[in-house]
Structure formats: C-alpha cells, structure tokens
Amino acid sequence: MPEVQRIDVRGPRFAASITAVLLLIATFLSLVGIATGDLASASLGARVADPGFLLVLVIAALFLWGVVSPRTAPWGALYRSVVRPRLAPPTEFEDPRPPRFAQGVGLFVTVVGLLLHLAGVPWALPIAAAAAFIAAFLNAVFGLCLGCQLYLLLQRAGLIGRRRPSAA
C-alpha cells in the first residue's frame, strides 16, 4: 500500500484560526438572532434568513469542502499560496486523515445545529456554533485537535483507518 502523504502541521492550525473567528461571529449572531427566542413561532423563512443561520450554513459548506476536497478548500489553498511561502520550511508533518476527519466532525456538529434550528429548537444553533468554536479555538491556539483525537481513538479501537495486514 502506498505511503500516506504528509502535510505541514501549520496548515490545519491556520485553517482552524480562520474557522474559529467565523464561528465566534456565528455564535454571537445566533445569540442575538431569533435562535434563542420563541423560535417555534418564527416562520421557516425567518429561521433561514437569520444571520446566524446563514453564517453557520456557510461554515458547514466550508467544512464539507474540507472533507470532500481538502486540497482545494479555501483556507488550505490560502495557506499554501500566501502564508507558507513566507514561513520557514516546515519541520513537522502529520497524516492528513485525522484533520480531514476533524472537518467531518465540524460538519456534523454544524449540520445538527442547522437542522435543529430549522425544526424550531431554541438554542440549538448557538450551542452548535459555540461547540464548534471551542474545538477550532483549541486547535488554533494550542494545537489540540479534538476531531483528530477522536479519529485516533476510533482508530485504536479498530473502527476506522486500519489497514489490513499484507499477505505474506
């Protein structure tokens, strides 16, 4: 089986930084919007037009892009074309599968918040945005990727990412 390509560890942290800022704004917009009020009486159109919902929807689309095509995702492309050339060559590399899985976890959390918001569940959108913000913040500031840790835990349990032993 071919060796897994390694990525510069600074790239996912850069993406997490931008994502954390967007999620912080989305959390704020969700808190001041209709998501914390009488959401059940708001029309579907009002729920969709809520600025917090729209921003979380954009963030969910970015997470989806990161899962489907990480090489072309905007924050990774920006890092590779603008930021990385201005930095010293990377000294640390990592397997790209855990960060990609983490994008999927972010997608899951935001989509659940979006769907519950559309269903009229109060507080679902700001809670989902805040949970995703905490994960992105921890990755950006401390290099602690919760989704990556979950990937490694599931891998150790044999549920994902295990390669079959080659026949001798």
Side-chain angles (χ1 to χ4, degrees):
M1 199 170 259
E3 183 64 28
V4 174
Q5 180 184 356
R6 310 298 273 176
I7 59 172
D8 181 350
V9 297
R10 300 171 295 182
R13 287 185 75 177
F14 173 79
S17 300
I18 295 172
T19 303
V21 170
L22 292 174
L23 284 163
L24 183 62
I25 295 167
T27 302
F28 172 76
L29 290 175
S30 298
L31 288 171
V32 299
I34 63 171
T36 58
D38 189 14
L39 189 60
S41 67
S43 70
L44 182 61
R47 292 179 204 157
V48 170
D50 182 50
F53 175 85
L54 294 173
L55 184 53
V56 174
L57 183 64
V58 168
I59 294 166
L62 290 167
F63 279 136
L64 179 61
W65 194 344
V67 169
V68 173
S69 180
R71 189 87 184 133
T72 64
W75 310 143
L78 180 65
Y79 175 77
R80 284 188 310 279
S81 63
V82 177
V83 177
R84 187 174 176 180
R86 290 168 173 71
L87 300 175
T91 57
E92 291 183 65
F93 296 91
E94 68 180 335
D95 182 344
R97 292 175 295 183
R100 187 174 189 177
F101 181 84
Q103 291 287 305
V105 173
L107 174 64
F108 178 77
V109 169
T110 55
V111 167
V112 167
L114 290 167
L115 293 175
L116 290 174
H117 175 80
L118 289 177
V121 177
W123 293 94
L125 190 63
I127 289 171
F133 163 74
I134 290 168
F137 178 82
L138 288 172
N139 190 3
V141 175
F142 301 108
L144 175 61
C145 176
L146 297 178
C148 300
Q149 295 302 314
L150 179 60
Y151 178 89
L152 296 173
L153 181 68
L154 293 173
Q155 186 181 43
R156 283 188 202 112
L159 299 174
I160 61 172
R162 289 276 183 204
R163 294 183 185 154
R164 290 188 176 134
S166 56

